[in-house]
Every structure is written in structure tokens, then in C-alpha cells.
Amino acid sequence: MGRTVTLRKAETGVVPCLADFVGCWRIAREIEDRLSATTGRFQGTAEFVPAAEGLAYREQGVLTLGDATPLTAERCYLWRAGPEGRIIVDHGDGRPFHDFHPAGPDARHLCGADDYAVRYDFGDWPCWRADWTVRGPRKDYRMVSHYAPISAGSKG
């Protein structure tokens, strides 16, 4: 799937807008669970598809945690345009998750006693990453996802 990219420059580099995410992306994710002293990885793809409300995001791939048998995993979100260039991210079922501005890409989500903090990094656009730190009474992990575009000829 081809990608039309409309980019704006910020003082620190390229700032993508919502439409720039349309298409397929390769994901390489590292997970460090400090509570269980376990590491993991996720290898897969994500696709942003235009939907009535914004962009439907679906990722799928293989999740490996420690020595456990690898599992097939998937998740869905809805990314939509917010005020003043913000991007709003909702869970696939419509529940609010977080929002961020690509030029100041830190965001937080409180889920009960759990604190989810993310920093999006678009400094190497079109490659980008999401760096999550999650802390709570039963959670203490870091999850870093690296995204790279999949060109139309190299899907797989």
C-alpha cells in the first residue's frame, strides 16, 4: 500500500500528522518486566486503515515472553484527529486510552492504580517508536516498539 506523506517541520525535526500513518508497518517490540525479571519480544505488523472516525489500527504478530511458548497476539485501537493537531488514541472497543501531540509526544493514561506513560519518538521518520513505562501495584515494565514502513512491494 502506498503512502502519501504530508509533513511539517518542527524545531526538532519532522512532525507527522494523523494521515501520515496510513499503511502497513513492521513492528519490533522489546519488553522488560522488572517484577518477574522476564524479557520478551513481539515481532509483527501493524496497519492503519482509514475509518469513518479516523484510522483503525490493528497489529498482529508473535509474542515471546521469557522461555514460554510463543503466542499469536493482536490488538486494535482507533487513532483520530484531536484539537490543535493532537492525536487521540482509543481502545478498539471505543474506551478512551490517551492522546498526544506529535511535536510534544508524551502522554499518560491512568487505569485504576496503574500508570501508563508513553513517549513517541518521530526523530527518524518514517521510522518511529513508542516507549512505554508502566507502573502500578502489580506492574512494573518497559515496552519499546519500533515501527518501520512496509513498502508496497515488500509486504510479508
Side-chain angles (χ1 to χ4, degrees), residues 62-76:
V62 176
L63 173 65
T64 305
L65 293 172
D67 296 331
T69 302
L71 302 168
T72 300
E74 91 173 43
R75 66 174 142 186
C76 298

Side-chain angles (χ1 to χ4, degrees), residues 80-143:
R80 45 193 185 90
E84 300 175 6
R86 297 190 72 77
I87 295 175
I88 299 167
V89 182
D90 293 329
H91 292 281
D93 63 6
R95 289 177 297 124
F97 188 27
H98 68 280
D99 71 285
F100 67 96
H101 193 289
D106 293 337
R108 261 203 146 83
H109 170 73
L110 295 175
C111 182
D114 299 323
D115 182 11
Y116 291 73
V118 64
R119 177 175 246 312
Y120 291 97
D121 180 352
F122 303 111
D124 193 26
W125 185 264
C127 296
W128 55 285
R129 70 185 218 163
D131 188 342
W132 285 92
T133 300
V134 180
R135 291 201 170 97
R138 293 180 308 244
K139 295 180 182 174
D140 186 5
Y141 67 89
R142 182 172 181 217
M143 183 171 67

Side-chain angles (χ1 to χ4, degrees), residues 14 22 30 33 47-48 56-57 61 79-80 103 105-106 113 119 121 123 132 138 149-150 152:
V14 174
V22 172
E30 299 114 27
D33 187 329
E47 186 170 16
F48 288 87
Y57 170 99
W79 285 37
R80 45 193 185 90
D106 293 337
R119 177 175 246 312
D121 180 352
W132 285 92
R138 293 180 308 244
I150 300 175

Side-chain angles (χ1 to χ4, degrees), residues 14-29:
V14 174
V15 178
C17 66
L18 183 63
D20 296 328
F21 292 94
V22 172
C24 296
W25 302 81
R26 190 164 318 286
I27 307 172
R29 177 175 297 141

Side-chain angles (χ1 to χ4, degrees), residues 6 12 16 38 61 83 88 90 92 96 123 130 132 137 146 148:
T6 307
T12 57
T38 303
I88 299 167
D90 293 329
W132 285 92
H146 299 266

